[in-house]
DNA sequence: TACAAATATGAATAATCGTTCAAGTGTTAA
DNA sequence: TTAACACTTGAACGATTATTCATATTTGTA
């Protein structure tokens, strides 16, 4: 029985079964919630935040970003791969130089909402 | 010399010094970027995303959340502490029961922006 | 008072993650 | 073709993190 399993697992009794059921019906799919967490995980690193903020300002090559953030070019390249996989940045090659830029307009909107939260609190 | 240090560190030459300088001036403070990353780090976990989404729907006690997510009450309690510290949830006590609810209206806005990004891509 | 229930917390463990280092592409120019 | 440069990548290391387990704490109740 499903309910029995859940109680065994949660280690407590259901206090408000009606609330739980109502909320359960309104929850997005497991997949959607997972993807959402994965997206925010990408934003949850200072280096990547800085890279995205920089690219929101201007297209830049890997070396420029490394200089701007005072980090090794290798570290930047690793982070750019993660941003690429999340489809947050795109790139174009010009000879040996690779130029990165934002691939998503609402990154700025998400950041701004985040800043609102931070600055509103005290 | 600052520039020398940066070049040592980034392991490459400045390609577009003008771009780097222009972007540097537009960057928010180190502190702001750090706080922003910390906020998104909190969103970057499936369990916490689920908790926040549930609380966006209805006030719930710890036990209810544990049943809803099929997790131990202890695990939920640990995550609620993180959400409390980030000022994303608030709580009220009623006897031995602790009811949690959202403490921030734009959590929903941030989530919605995130979903837009996810769903727009293919 | 003693007990059970709801929640919180500290320590431990396993998994994940960011950076570094070393070695690899691919491209330009001598 | 050789060398230098811009960048990428894989492995390794240390740090962080989510969950579990055991143990508190607080409150209602017998």
């Amino acid at each position: 029985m499903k309910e029995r399993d859940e109680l065994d697992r949660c280690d407590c009794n259901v206090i408000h079964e009606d609330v739980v059921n109502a909320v359960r019906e309104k929850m997005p799919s497991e997949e959607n919630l997972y993807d959402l967490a994965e997206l925010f995980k990408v934003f949850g690193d200072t280096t990547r935040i800085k890279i995205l903020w920089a690219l929101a300002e201007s297209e830049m090559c890997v070396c420029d970003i490394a200089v701007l953030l005072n980090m090794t070019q290798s570290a930047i390249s690793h982070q750019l791969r993660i941003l690429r996989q999340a489809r947050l940045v795109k790139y174009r090659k010009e000879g040996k130089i690779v130029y990165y830029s934002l691939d998503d307009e609402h990154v700025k909107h998400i950041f701004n909402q985040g800043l609102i939260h931070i600055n509103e609190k005290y």
Side-chain angles (χ1 to χ4, degrees), chain A:
Chain A
M1 202 145 268
K2 190 183 177 192
E3 216 167 288
R4 211 23 301 127
D5 286 349
E6 284 178 350
L7 290 180
D8 289 347
R9 187 143 182 67
C10 90
D11 219 28
C12 61
N13 303 309
V14 189
I15 310 287
H16 309 92
E17 210 170 342
D18 51 333
V19 173
V20 173
N21 289 330
V23 170
R24 197 194 303 278
E25 283 184 12
K26 295 270 197 164
M27 292 287 279
S29 72
E30 186 82 20
E31 192 199 353
N32 257 301
L33 293 168
Y34 177 83
D35 290 344
L36 198 56
E38 287 301 304
L39 176 64
F40 288 130
K41 209 172 282 179
V42 174
F43 292 147
D45 176 81
T46 317
T47 301
R48 287 192 294 265
I49 286 271
K50 287 177 181 172
I51 293 175
L52 289 171
W53 208 291
L55 295 182
E57 202 58 51
S58 167
E59 174 186 72
M60 293 180 91
C61 70
V62 180
C63 181
D64 286 345
I65 302 173
V67 173
L68 175 69
L69 304 188
N70 195 29
M71 294 178 65
T72 65
Q73 154 271 119
S74 174
I76 299 297
S77 191
H78 277 296
Q79 297 300 352
L80 284 170
R81 183 170 46 82
I82 294 172
L83 294 173
R84 248 183 292 140
Q85 286 168 349
R87 298 178 190 281
L88 292 168
V89 302
K90 59 178 189 282
Y91 65 95
R92 66 180 180 87
K93 276 188 170 176
E94 204 170 277
K96 22 179 192 178
I97 303 177
V98 181
Y99 292 95
Y100 280 88
S101 57
L102 275 202
D103 190 24
D104 195 309
E105 275 312 304
H106 18 49
V107 166
K108 299 179 190 177
H109 294 124
I110 297 176
F111 280 16
N112 284 330
Q113 285 291 332
L115 279 185
I116 289 172
H117 169 81
I118 289 167
N119 293 325
E120 249 183 24
K121 302 283 169 168
Y122 304 38

